[in-house]
Amino acid sequence: MTRTKLTRRGFTGALLATSALSACAVQTAPAKAHVVVIGGGFGGATAAKFIRLEDPGIAVTLIEPKSEFVTCPFSNYVIAGFKQIGEITHNYNALTGTHGVRHVRDIAIAIDPATKTVRTGSGQSIRYDKLVVSPGIDIRWGAIEGYTEAAAEILPHAWQGGAQTLLLRRQLEAMPDGGVVALALPPNPYRCPPGPYERISVIAHYLKTTKPRSKILALDAKDAFSKQPLFQDGWNALYPGMIEWVPLNKDGRITQVIAGEKTLVSEFGQRHRADVVNVVPPQFAGKIARDAGLANPDGGSAGWCPVDPITFESTRIKDIHVIGDASIAGAMPKSGFAANSQGKFVAKAIAAALNGRPSFAPVYANTCYSLLAPDYGISVADIYRATPQGIVAVQGAGGVSPRTPADAAQFRHLEATYTRGWYSSATREIWGT
Ligand code: FAD
């Protein structure tokens, strides 16, 4: 595929343009259309790059306030002390330099579908022909009584990468041997279904190797979780007696926090005081998606964005595609792998639409790897078909790691190697670093 580069001068015009068609330059030819992408994480950065690869004649503007993206994948290993934050931090140089994506370092604060413009925090008005929205999740502050932004500075969630990840790490480092780490875990749906249980595992690894008299108490708003038998087998083998998991039916749901006392209060009034408290609270689609009217206002999926399963175009507003965690993607989980897969197919769908070509039925993929220790990995993989009724898993096409492989140590070691391989290939593909 040949690739042409957008000039900075030509693109600057597109930012303020009322018509992207006249304002974006692709060498000598004007851009045939202008796609704006909100959010430079797993979904948005993938979509921005792959739209340019699909059709270099389409100008792409990425609106993302940060100059560097810290991933949530592998942040649990920073919390556990066997990765550094710099190893999970990626910049946008390849996206802008190699792929000609214009990065506007700003926050999108409003979308006007009537004029097809995005307004930014600094007052820019950016017109689009097609818009991709991939803002990830926001925390539902107040869904747990007392859990506010101020409380999260004492009881971190660490469910968005960066400062919160480091805060939880520091708290674990400061905890004395013999301390208790308590986690409050959310109901479905939420970002990264196995993420909390991977976090429990690798915190246990840290405690076993540095503060072995410590304990972990996991209070869950669910009765079952992703890869549960594999996690629990691993906990029994690697960390016997260290982890207590309390499900919903044993009063595991936390409904209140008392931040100053580092205390979690359950639905039926049990109080759990701990030395370090990690609250993974209920979540919903990022604010810009909700403010724009892309999310369902009520019902079981309130706060998440319904989309066409084939194109990820919003079913609520035309010419806007919502991908990643913010979307309701049928059987697909809210994962970086899934957002990356969706980003590639949405790029194809948008390039097809802008070139007057028919779209086609995509086949999406997801694998969720988890480490229970640096050398102990497990996974669940699935392939998904987009049907007009929704996105469904293809029966028999995926699988979960076996519970009792022939050579268990070697098998888990290899899965840990695949885990690291996935991260480096995915992040290299998305951010090119
Ligand atoms: P994000 O990647 O979060 O990107 C959203 C971006 O949008 C951010 O950069 C944000 O700054 C930007 N943004 C938000 N609002 C605006 C706005 N108004 N204007 C401009 N920009 C905006 N997934 C895996 O596949 N594998 C794993 O091993 C894995 N591990 C995880 C571990 C943990 C602890 C957690 C919490 C998550 C993990 N995930 C994993 C899940 C993964 O992080 C998410 O599913 C993924 O990041 C979703 O991609 P996204 O594009 O929807 O959102």
Side-chain angles (χ1 to χ4, degrees):
M1 182 182 292
T2 55
R3 194 181 296 143
T4 46
K5 238 179 162 181
L6 291 172
T7 66
R8 174 181 279 273
R9 209 157 59 122
F11 227 142
T12 306
L15 302 181
L16 299 168
T18 50
S19 164
L21 289 172
S22 60
C24 302
V26 180
Q27 286 185 340
T28 51
K32 66 171 68 151
H34 186 210
V35 177
V36 173
V37 179
I38 297 176
F42 276 81
T46 303
K49 171 176 170 178
F50 278 83
I51 291 165
R52 294 283 300 151
L53 290 175
E54 283 291 325
D55 184 347
I58 299 172
V60 177
T61 296
L62 172 67
I63 305 176
E64 163 63 60
K66 294 182 288 220
S67 60
E68 290 184 323
F69 182 80
V70 180
T71 64
C72 282
F74 277 38
S75 65
N76 283 337
Y77 315 152
V78 174
I79 290 164
F82 57 89
K83 282 274 172 201
Q84 298 299 313
I85 198 102
E87 295 175 86
I88 61 166
T89 303
H90 307 274
N91 64 43
Y92 296 101
N93 294 348
L95 216 55
T96 54
T98 308
H99 299 290
V101 172
R102 170 76 178 174
H103 180 192
V104 173
R105 279 199 60 197
D106 209 340
I107 183 156
I109 56 168
I111 299 168
D112 182 351
T115 56
K116 291 184 132 182
T117 49
V118 179
R119 195 151 46 81
T120 71
S122 72
Q124 295 185 63
S125 187
I126 305 178
R127 192 179 187 287
Y128 62 84
D129 295 297
K130 298 276 184 190
L131 178 63
V132 179
V133 178
S134 190
I137 52 121
D138 274 347
I139 306 296
R140 284 189 196 246
W141 301 113
I144 295 176
E145 189 185 332
Y147 199 63
T148 59
E149 285 183 83
E153 294 303 312
I154 303 166
L155 318 177
H157 54 80
W159 220 242
Q160 288 160 320
Q164 280 274 310
T165 305
L166 293 173
L167 177 59
L168 182 53
R169 171 69 195 154
R170 283 196 301 276
Q171 291 187 351
L172 289 170
E173 283 178 310
M175 188 183 88
D177 189 8
V180 174
V181 179
L183 296 95
L185 307 180
N188 292 316
Y190 62 96
R191 157 176 283 183
C192 195
Y197 310 96
E198 177 186 72
R199 178 170 291 173
I200 291 167
S201 310
V202 293
I203 288 178
H205 171 77
Y206 169 67
L207 297 178
K208 180 181 166 180
T209 47
T210 57
K211 302 166 188 186
R213 293 188 298 114
S214 308
K215 299 272 184 228
I216 298 176
L217 175 65
L219 299 149
D220 209 328
K222 304 180 291 303
D223 279 326
F225 59 86
S226 169
K227 296 183 274 189
Q228 183 168 350
L230 288 166
F231 274 113
Q232 290 181 323
D233 288 352
W235 294 347
N236 290 335
L238 300 171
Y239 315 115
M242 186 178 264
I243 300 167
E244 184 187 356
W245 175 67
V246 182
L248 173 67
N249 67 27
K250 297 260 167 49
D251 196 21
R253 190 164 84 94
I254 294 304
T255 52
Q256 187 191 352
V257 301
I258 304 167
E261 296 175 17
K262 291 197 173 174
T263 296
L264 299 170
V265 185
S266 76
E267 193 172 5
F268 296 104
Q270 289 191 68
R271 289 173 167 248
H272 305 276
R273 198 177 196 293
D275 299 277
V276 174
V277 177
N278 175 207
V279 178
V280 183
Q283 301 147 34
F284 48 18
K287 181 172 170 22
I288 183 69
R290 288 178 286 116
D291 286 357
L294 292 161
N296 279 336
D298 42 38
S301 60
W304 303 103
C305 305
V307 293
D308 176 275
I310 294 172
T311 61
F312 274 77
E313 184 173 9
S314 166
T315 54
R316 295 174 64 83
I317 307 179
K318 197 172 156 359
D319 291 325
I320 303 181
H321 299 249
V322 185
I323 58 172
D325 291 352
S327 67
I328 301 171
M332 293 185 88
K334 298 186 185 303
S335 78
F337 197 123
N340 173 241
S341 182
Q342 293 159 10
K344 291 179 206 170
F345 280 105
V346 90
K348 281 193 174 299
I350 286 175
L354 291 173
N355 285 288
R357 296 194 304 260
S359 206
F360 62 96
V363 177
Y364 305 108
N366 179 66
T367 305
C368 281
Y369 293 101
S370 306
L371 293 186
L372 280 71
D375 202 32
Y376 188 119
I378 58 174
S379 65
V380 54
D382 273 298
I383 300 294
Y384 305 87
R385 196 181 290 287
T387 71
Q389 290 71 42
I391 298 174
V392 295
V394 177
Q395 291 308 308
V400 185
S401 312
R403 280 183 83 175
T404 50
D407 182 347
Q410 173 66 358
F411 198 93
R412 306 295 182 219
H413 163 78
L414 282 174
E415 290 236 81
T417 308
Y418 307 150
T419 305
R420 286 185 277 272
W422 167 74
Y423 183 84
S424 80
S425 62
T427 54
R428 185 174 286 263
E429 178 182 78
I430 299 170
W431 294 281
T433 54

